[in-house]
Amino acid sequence: MLGIVLVAVSGYAMLGSWEQSGIVSRIAADSTDTDAYQRAAYLTSAEMVLIQAAMREPDGEERDELFAAHARTQAAMMHMAARDDEHREEAAGVAQRHRDLEPTFEQYLRQLDRGDTAGAQASLENVIEPAVSVIMEEVLAEQRYHLDEYTRNQEAGTRQSERLKWGSVLAFLTGVVLLLLFARASWANRRRLERMAVTDPLTGLPNRAAFAREAQAALDHGPVTILAVNLDGFRDVNEQLGHRIGDLLLQQAGERLRASVREGDLVARIGGDDFAVLLVESEDDPEAVGRRLTRAFDRPFAIDELTIDLEVSIGAATAGTGDTVASVLQHADTAMDVAKRRRLGFSRYTSEHGNDSIARLGLLGDLRRALDAGTEITLHYQPQIDLATGDLAGVEALARWQHPGRGRIPPGDFIPVLETTGLIHRFTDHVLEIALAQARSWLDDGLRIPVSVNISARTLLDPGFCDRVADHLRRWGVPGGQLCIEVTEHSVMTDPGTAIDVLQHIRDMGVRTSIDDYGTGYSSMTYLRLLPLDELKIDRSFVAGMARDPGHHALVASTVELGHNLGLSVVAEGTEDLETIMALQRLGCDVAQGYYFAAPLEAGALIGKLPELAETTRRMRLEPSEG
């Protein structure tokens, strides 16, 4: 009889544990789905606020943020649809309807730009607001559904825990051993529920909800500092090597971060490749902690016989009077963006960062309008001279922006801003269009002048870049050999495998390829040998002082020899005096570019300067014999 009771009790406990496990899984799924719908609803609401603000202040900064907000909302909705296995088709339909609103937003902004306030108001009231309201209702309805499911499952879990407890009491009647076993199982299941509610399942670190709770508790008792940490280049690893490698990388990154802070500090994964660190009454200043976290990523990650190098960008913010956890975390994110954009590694939030973000948004809006107008951004061309013959070997196209209100804006002020957004692709297409139109014009006049165009890392790694280059060449009927694509060492080393493929496709079109600013990056000899290149450009910082600095002279000489050994043409930038020209000739450098010959000029001025340039190169060729 006792055996039957023991079997029955054991079977009851086993069945209850299985049911409890299923409830736990459903709770986790419903919690994730609820979070996804909540984020989509929040971003949709924020997007609507920007749309309405654009009506109140047509020239305000909100309109410049609208499409970025639309993209974030669309990404959240796609994530929402991907997460909801139960209602995936319905969620995908909501995401599609939201994506379909983008042309309406564009029409709405164009109406505001034309001053058609009545038309814009009609679009807002009759089209945008009803459509967004329907989307919001559907998203909130799904959120409520999953939240109700979460609550029901949680209640079911509680009831199941109670049943297991009474099962443990029954087991006590048949023996102390069974009581201990069942009590332990019940306790473990409850602990598992509690941990899953506050733990990131991938890394085992606290999740965003747990971090917010702990940070709020700390903030209630005194000042706190939050560090926002982002893994630079993780997205490329995830896309190129697969999600399994990406997940293992996140796990190891979380372990390194946790090992680099004090026991009393809190490390959490708050989403994707974003982590946060909470410092409470720490003896270390945030800069010291940031340095420690940065050093933790000096060592490469070893995963499945792969060696992966990752760096981190860290932003720190300390709570001030009236700050909330959300505002401190937002300030830390802003500082982290500054650190990433400026390649600082670590940055601490100041009020200037907030102002800088506003200025950047304004500049991006002006750039978008400049590209729409098509006349503000032009090209100047700097000649490149063959040092053996003195002939014009080609020109480098350099972008110039004449702002209607602020005058000329240096490239160093607007190119870095462009490179952080997808607008860099439009800008690159604009530059290629102008450069190839000019090359076509020169060809029609009987002048074969190759044009070099600089390409950013973001554009180089864009999947559609090669096709767009081919389209531009076809449109203008320019042979590929009249175009040279220049990339920096950094852009190549961001993703060497993809860069090699892209450069090979470029060369297959007959287009020349060049490494720009060589010597300032960190490319290895192995990658330099594998890259499909035609040209190596020595950075001006080495060339400018080579005639007087033996160290610079040696570096230039070794680079010329390296380039020639690899079968590459070598171009020296920043040649500003005849002494440097003579030194480069003696080293066998192929081409020189710099102010000794000419500053960057408009196309018409460049052609007008060709006779003077010929005289300059004649003196250059005569100088060795005259000396």
Side-chain angles (χ1 to χ4, degrees):
M1 184 67 182
L2 180 61
I4 295 175
V5 172
L6 289 174
V7 170
V9 171
S10 299
Y12 176 81
M14 183 179 297
L15 183 63
S17 295
W18 285 343
E19 184 178 352
Q20 188 82 347
S21 178
I23 292 171
V24 168
S25 298
R26 292 195 294 275
I27 288 174
D30 285 321
S31 174
T32 302
D33 291 344
T34 301
D35 288 345
Y37 279 104
Q38 181 177 1
R39 176 167 175 78
Y42 168 77
L43 290 175
T44 302
S45 177
E47 181 184 55
M48 194 63 222
V49 169
L50 291 174
I51 293 170
Q52 293 168 337
M55 170 63 72
R56 295 191 299 272
E57 296 183 29
D59 295 326
E61 64 184 24
E62 290 82 2
R63 61 170 294 151
D64 297 326
E65 300 175 4
L66 176 56
F67 285 102
H70 182 72
R72 289 194 296 271
T73 306
Q74 185 60 38
M77 289 198 172
M78 295 301 294
H79 176 70
M80 170 187 81
R83 289 298 313 167
D84 193 352
D85 292 330
E86 186 176 358
H87 298 154
R88 178 164 295 172
E89 291 184 3
E90 292 86 346
V94 173
Q96 182 60 47
R97 288 195 293 279
H98 178 266
R99 182 187 292 109
D100 292 341
L101 283 175
E102 185 171 358
T104 305
F105 291 167
E106 293 175 348
Q107 177 186 354
Y108 172 68
L109 293 180
R110 285 196 297 271
Q111 289 172 322
L112 290 176
D113 289 340
R114 294 194 305 267
D116 183 8
T117 305
Q121 184 72 35
S123 296
L124 178 63
E125 294 178 354
N126 299 330
V127 180
I128 296 175
E129 288 181 345
V132 173
S133 295
V134 170
I135 290 172
M136 280 290 291
E137 288 174 3
E138 293 179 356
V139 171
L140 291 174
E142 284 294 328
Q143 181 194 4
R144 287 192 296 272
Y145 170 83
H146 288 287
L147 186 58
D148 290 344
E149 286 293 306
Y150 176 89
T151 303
R152 283 194 292 271
N153 283 321
Q154 198 170 44
E155 291 172 352
T158 301
R159 290 194 299 271
Q160 181 62 17
S161 294
E162 289 296 317
R163 286 196 292 270
L164 286 175
K165 182 179 68 176
W166 286 112
S168 298
V169 172
L170 178 61
F172 175 77
L173 299 176
T174 60
V176 175
V177 174
L178 287 179
L179 171 65
L180 294 176
L181 291 175
F182 279 116
R184 183 177 181 181
S186 179
W187 176 84
N189 279 325
R190 287 197 298 270
R191 289 293 297 167
R192 184 184 174 195
L193 278 172
E194 293 170 359
R195 285 196 302 271
M196 286 192 67
V198 296
T199 303
D200 172 53
L202 179 63
T203 62
L205 295 172
N207 59 18
R208 178 183 282 271
F211 182 83
R213 187 179 66 190
E214 293 295 327
Q216 185 60 58
L219 189 59
D220 290 341
H221 293 88
V224 299
T225 295
I226 291 177
L227 274 62
V229 183
N230 180 260
L231 307 184
D232 296 338
F234 172 78
R235 181 174 301 177
D236 294 329
V237 172
N238 213 31
E239 291 176 354
Q240 298 295 326
L241 301 180
H243 294 290
R244 176 180 171 277
I245 298 297
D247 289 347
L248 293 173
L249 189 58
L250 287 172
Q251 291 172 354
Q252 292 191 22
E255 292 170 2
R256 291 193 187 186
L257 291 172
R258 184 162 43 190
S260 301
V261 299
R262 298 189 319 161
E263 185 176 349
D265 298 327
L266 178 68
V267 177
R269 181 187 177 213
I270 58 176
D273 58 342
D274 292 318
F275 295 82
V277 180
L278 175 66
L279 306 179
V280 183
E281 297 180 356
S282 175
E283 298 175 0
D284 293 335
D285 59 47
E287 287 82 358
V289 177
R291 286 193 296 271
R292 242 184 1 253
L293 295 177
T294 301
R295 285 197 300 270
F297 287 79
D298 287 344
R299 292 179 291 107
F301 292 85
I303 301 176
D304 287 359
E305 299 182 356
L306 294 172
T307 299
I308 302 171
D309 288 296
L310 277 187
E311 297 178 347
V312 289
S313 293
I314 303 172
T318 300
T321 304
D323 275 338
T324 64
V325 171
S327 64
V328 179
L329 188 55
Q330 181 181 2
H331 291 164
D333 280 336
T334 298
M336 183 268 290
D337 287 338
V338 172
K340 182 184 291 287
R341 188 170 67 251
R342 300 179 183 174
R343 303 188 184 281
L344 301 175
F346 175 88
S347 177
R348 189 161 188 173
Y349 179 81
T350 67
S351 59
E352 293 180 356
H353 288 157
N355 296 333
D356 181 58
S357 296
I358 294 172
R360 282 170 52 79
L361 287 172
L363 190 64
L364 274 174
D366 288 345
L367 279 165
R368 188 175 289 108
R369 284 190 287 273
L371 289 171
D372 289 340
T375 56
E376 295 178 24
I377 296 175
T378 59
L379 295 183
H380 284 193
Y381 303 90
Q382 187 169 36
Q384 300 170 329
I385 304 301
D386 187 315
L387 289 176
T389 65
D391 295 334
L392 180 65
V395 293
E396 180 179 2
L398 300 166
R400 297 292 183 262
W401 181 16
Q402 187 68 32
H403 191 283
R406 298 168 55 184
R408 175 161 291 181
I409 299 179
D413 290 351
F414 68 87
I415 296 293
V417 176
L418 279 169
E419 288 178 339
T420 63
T421 73
L423 200 60
I424 187 64
H425 303 319
R426 279 190 63 194
F427 174 81
T428 302
D429 286 341
H430 181 73
V431 169
L432 283 170
E433 190 78 1
I434 298 174
L436 291 176
Q438 185 58 61
R440 178 70 264 169
S441 176
W442 282 331
L443 285 170
D444 291 342
D445 292 338
L447 299 172
R448 297 186 65 84
I449 305 178
V451 181
S452 296
V453 175
N454 292 281
I455 301 299
S456 72
R458 189 165 184 156
T459 299
L460 179 68
L461 302 179
D462 177 36
F465 173 61
C466 292
D467 291 337
R468 296 203 303 276
V469 171
D471 288 342
H472 288 301
L473 289 169
R474 279 194 300 268
R475 182 179 303 112
W476 291 105
V478 174
Q482 293 299 108
L483 176 65
C484 178
I485 294 297
E486 294 187 9
V487 295
T488 63
E489 291 179 85
H490 170 74
S491 25
V492 169
M493 296 308 295
T494 300
D495 183 351
T498 301
I500 289 172
D501 290 341
V502 171
L503 291 174
Q504 186 58 59
H505 286 313
I506 292 293
R507 290 188 82 204
D508 289 344
M509 302 176 202
V511 176
R512 291 172 56 81
T513 56
S514 172
I515 284 285
D516 193 19
D517 298 337
Y518 182 77
T520 61
Y522 50 90
S523 62
S524 68
M525 292 299 112
T526 300
Y527 278 118
L528 193 60
R529 180 177 57 82
L530 294 175
L531 287 170
L533 295 173
D534 298 289
E535 183 179 276
L536 199 62
K537 296 188 76 173
I538 310 173
D539 185 67
R540 66 184 66 249
S541 60
F542 301 112
V543 174
M546 64 170 290
R548 293 167 294 280
D549 186 325
H552 281 187
H553 187 279
L555 286 170
V556 172
S558 62
T559 303
V560 171
E561 183 179 4
L562 171 66
H564 288 165
N565 287 340
L566 293 174
L568 306 178
S569 174
V570 180
V571 179
E573 295 185 287
T575 53
E576 299 186 359
D577 54 62
L578 186 58
E579 187 179 9
T580 301
I581 296 293
M582 297 299 105
L584 289 169
Q585 284 182 318
R586 287 191 292 271
L587 292 176
C589 185
D590 302 292
V591 177
Q593 171 184 344
Y595 278 80
Y596 175 77
F597 300 108
L601 300 167
E602 294 181 350
L606 174 67
I607 298 305
K609 194 177 179 63
L610 288 180
E612 179 184 337
L613 194 59
E615 178 60 25
T616 301
T617 58
R618 188 188 70 83
R619 292 197 306 270
M620 175 192 77
R621 294 196 303 275
L622 292 174
E623 184 66 21
S625 61
E626 293 174 354

